[in-house]
Amino acid sequence: MRAFGITAAAIGALMLIGALVMDVSVPAGLGRVNNIGLMGERQNYTIIGGILLIVGILMARKSGGQPPAEADSDTRPCPACAELIKTAATKCRFCGEAVESVPAPKLKQGWVASIPCRPDEDRSRSEQAVIALGLPVVPMEGSNIGAGPFSTKDEAKAAVKRLSNEHSIYATVDYRDTVSGKFPPLLD
């Protein structure tokens, strides 16, 4: 798909260049005059070339950045048969070999269930509720705290629902990143 996009963009660029250098005048008795038919042809080449160029660039960009399916963060190759297995697996489902489970890497950024808190007892109550649910506590902006980070938005939504149902705590789903500088760094 990427190669097709590059080819379409190249053809579109060539058509645009050809349309721009096209002569639309014809010789007449005392000089040259513009020919309406040639002007229409030039316009058609310009439109078609422009559309091909734009579509080709979009196709090349969209198909170029997709990660392969094997790059899933919760899988690893089996040491015995090299098939992809879950990181928490203790036995390979393909060859039956016993393997050591590998702890999942701790996320530095991701989706969180963000809880707005006041700096006093409200924060400690919310923190205890997150710990009671078995979720990791992360600092957010100001005195706010969060539960997470999670790799998907659905996991964060489930945490918000559990906090609301089991502890009557209001939370929202936010994305906590490490590059914006508005969140304190997470310690390992």
Side-chain angles (χ1 to χ4, degrees):
M1 186 81 138
R2 182 176 171 89
F4 183 74
I6 292 170
T7 305
I11 291 171
L14 288 175
M15 286 182 77
L16 276 174
I17 292 170
L20 291 176
V21 298
M22 180 186 252
D23 186 19
V24 293
S25 62
V26 292
L30 296 173
R32 298 184 68 82
V33 294
N34 288 336
N35 183 313
I36 294 178
L38 290 175
M39 290 171 63
E41 202 172 316
R42 179 184 199 179
Q43 184 180 16
N44 290 340
Y45 282 133
T46 304
I47 292 170
I48 293 170
I51 290 173
L52 275 176
L53 180 66
I54 291 170
V55 168
I57 289 171
L58 290 176
M59 286 176 66
R61 284 189 63 171
K62 287 288 183 187
S63 63
Q66 295 175 348
E70 296 178 14
D72 198 3
S73 63
D74 67 338
T75 60
R76 64 184 171 115
C78 171
C81 68
E83 290 288 339
L84 287 178
I85 59 173
K86 298 284 185 181
T87 54
T90 56
K91 187 175 186 179
C92 177
R93 67 183 180 130
F94 298 101
C95 67
E97 184 74 22
V99 294
E100 288 187 35
S101 65
V102 177
K106 188 175 180 183
L107 294 173
K108 296 285 186 188
Q109 60 188 22
W111 294 98
V112 294
S114 178
I115 305 168
C117 300
R118 291 183 296 247
D120 53 352
E121 67 210 34
D122 191 25
R123 180 182 167 94
S124 63
R125 178 180 160 265
S126 299
E127 194 170 329
Q128 290 171 356
V130 171
I131 292 170
L133 292 176
L135 301 172
V137 178
V138 294
M140 297 297 280
E141 289 181 287
S143 62
N144 298 344
I145 64 166
F150 302 103
S151 57
T152 65
K153 192 173 186 177
D154 290 335
E155 291 174 314
K157 285 181 181 178
V160 166
K161 192 172 186 177
R162 286 182 65 196
L163 283 165
S164 175
N165 292 344
E166 297 176 27
H167 296 281
S168 300
I169 292 178
Y170 172 77
T172 59
V173 175
D174 290 322
Y175 190 78
R176 185 187 200 287
D177 64 354
T178 56
V179 293
S180 68
K182 67 179 189 178
F183 300 108
L186 294 178
L187 303 174
D188 286 333

